[in-house]
Amino acid sequence: MYETYYGLSAKPFRLRPDPHFFYGSKGHKRAMAYLDYGLSQGEGFIVITGEVGAGKTTLVRNLLNNLPSEQIIAAHIVNTNLDSDDTLRMVVSAFGLPYENASKPDLLTRLEQFLRAADQQGKRALLIVDEAQNLTARTVEELRMLSNFQTDEKSLLQTFLLGQPEFRTTLHSASMLQLRQRVIASYHLGPMDADETQAYIEHRLHTVGWNGDPAFSPGAYAAIYGYTGGIPRKTNTLCDRLLLMGYLEELHAFTETEVNAVIADIDEEFQLPPGAAEAERAEASEPVAAEPVGSSGQMDERMMRLEKSIVSVLSILKKIVATPAAAVAAVAAAPAPAASAPAADAADLPAETLDQRQ
């Protein structure tokens, strides 16, 4: 939409990770250096953590784009909300091996045979696990066990673990001692600073042919950084909306005023409607009333009928206890209770009664 208006070849601020837009901030360059170092070692675990939207996946895509495919066979797993057995199936599947209806021993055997065949061809295997914060301790231990596939000279599988900061809690738990001993490098990817955020925006714009239209004032860059905190994904979201507003309002320059207007729009979209929060709290605290069975008049009438029935039954029981012979006659003469006495079965009724019913 706004690409044509500003003479851009594509949208510069897509949310999906795209290695073509990779920007090497100080943090991203250092993280990439750790990944490159890990590749050169050919063994162990590399751990990269970072906040949501910090650019970890873009980092991995950039790494995969530059891998020598004739030397390294890489598998990338992004769905980690799985138990240990399903994660093993994901690993086997990611390397292109059959996994359906296979037992765990069969899966391990297939994976080992694959890794040894790759080694005989002069290649090695790299497993990249994204969203590692979703892994349970048992699943992480399962991944560690896969690193036991070795020859006499080297490991057959190397693993990169990328996740949000909470993954470090799992990593530093007491049960993860053996895994920590196999981590050869670890790095936390932080946000960009103000200068890097401006350079990041301009880098993405230049990638799609930006020639200065639209222009950004220093105040605009400062407002963008103040809202996003240097997180790439948040920066992409804000800048994309900013260019859309510029197209709709035919703007060719952005200042702090335009940026703040877009920020206000975004914040408003994620706010609850007026009174919604109070209504939710009131609903949560309000006791649930029982549904009425009927009106109070109906209830009183039913209670009166029930009381009369009980009195009638008690009177009959007293007569039975006093004189059994008289009780029989009393039972025969007693009227049936109006509300609570069960209806007689049709088979027990006299023929005259059945004729009357019909």
Side-chain angles (χ1 to χ4, degrees):
M1 182 177 289
Y2 60 72
E3 303 95 299
T4 303
Y5 184 73
Y6 290 119
L8 307 176
S9 60
K11 292 186 68 173
F13 299 105
R14 297 179 184 274
L15 292 182
R16 64 178 176 82
D18 190 337
H20 294 98
F21 287 98
F22 177 75
Y23 170 72
S25 68
K26 289 180 292 186
H28 287 81
K29 286 180 179 178
R30 184 167 296 182
M32 187 59 69
Y34 275 97
L35 294 177
D36 289 337
Y37 170 76
L39 282 176
S40 68
Q41 298 303 299
E43 63 178 355
F45 288 79
I46 302 290
V47 177
I48 303 292
T49 57
E51 299 293 341
V52 175
K56 302 181 296 296
T57 303
T58 302
L59 196 73
V60 170
R61 297 285 176 84
N62 185 64
L63 173 72
L64 292 173
N65 270 13
N66 294 286
L67 281 179
S69 57
E70 69 281 359
Q71 299 176 11
I72 299 176
I73 303 173
H76 187 193
I77 295 178
V78 296
N79 185 1
T80 53
N81 280 308
L82 305 167
D83 60 27
S84 57
D85 289 345
D86 286 336
T87 299
L88 176 59
R89 293 180 184 278
M90 287 289 291
V91 172
V92 171
S93 174
F95 280 114
L97 305 176
Y99 65 93
E100 294 181 351
N101 301 321
S103 64
K104 184 175 180 179
D106 289 338
L107 293 172
L108 291 172
T109 299
R110 291 175 190 177
L111 182 59
E112 182 177 13
Q113 291 174 347
F114 168 79
L115 296 175
R116 294 192 180 280
D119 179 62
Q120 292 173 0
Q121 298 171 11
K123 299 180 180 182
R124 56 192 178 90
L126 171 65
L127 175 63
I128 301 173
V129 181
D130 215 336
E131 304 296 340
Q133 75 278 353
N134 296 327
L135 299 173
T136 64
R138 181 177 178 182
T139 302
V140 175
E141 177 63 13
E142 190 74 46
L143 293 174
R144 184 194 69 80
M145 295 294 292
L146 297 182
S147 66
N148 289 331
F149 291 135
Q150 301 175 356
T151 66
D152 292 337
E153 298 84 18
K154 57 186 175 182
S155 297
L156 297 177
L157 179 66
Q158 186 177 26
T159 303
F160 289 177
L161 299 174
L162 296 97
Q164 295 172 20
E166 51 265 35
F167 176 60
R168 291 183 174 271
T169 302
T170 301
L171 187 62
H172 287 87
S173 62
S175 60
M176 292 291 103
L177 176 60
Q178 294 189 66
L179 176 66
R180 290 198 300 273
Q181 292 175 346
R182 301 191 185 193
V183 174
I184 62 175
S186 177
Y187 182 74
H188 180 73
L189 181 62
M192 301 177 292
D193 60 27
D195 291 338
E196 288 176 327
T197 299
Q198 177 176 340
Y200 171 83
I201 294 170
E202 294 175 349
H203 165 76
R204 295 189 72 103
L205 287 167
H206 282 303
T207 302
V208 294
W210 180 57
N211 59 3
D213 180 22
F216 292 76
S217 71
Y221 285 120
I224 292 171
Y225 176 72
Y227 179 74
T228 65
I231 298 295
R233 186 180 299 167
K234 292 186 68 175
T235 303
N236 288 357
T237 300
L238 177 55
C239 289
D240 183 69
R241 292 287 296 270
L242 185 63
L243 291 178
L244 177 60
M245 185 194 76
Y247 162 71
L248 295 175
E249 299 189 10
E250 299 183 354
L251 302 176
H252 291 276
F254 297 119
T255 67
E256 181 180 359
T257 301
E258 287 75 33
V259 175
N260 287 334
V262 173
I263 291 173
D265 288 342
I266 294 175
D267 288 343
E268 184 178 357
E269 291 169 4
F270 290 95
Q271 288 179 354
L272 288 173
E278 291 78 4
E280 287 184 358
R281 286 194 293 268
E283 184 178 352
S285 59
E286 182 178 346
V288 180
E291 294 185 0
V293 177
S295 65
S296 58
Q298 291 175 332
M299 289 296 295
D300 291 342
E301 184 179 353
R302 290 181 182 180
M303 290 299 296
M304 291 176 63
R305 289 179 181 176
L306 182 60
E307 289 177 359
K308 289 180 180 180
S309 298
I310 294 174
V311 170
S312 177
V313 171
L314 289 176
S315 176
I316 294 172
L317 289 175
K318 288 180 181 179
K319 292 180 180 180
I320 292 175
V321 172
T323 55
V328 174
V331 171
S340 61
D345 189 88
D348 298 328
L349 292 175
E352 295 84 2
T353 306
L354 289 175
D355 291 340
Q356 291 173 5
R357 286 194 175 186
Q358 293 175 355

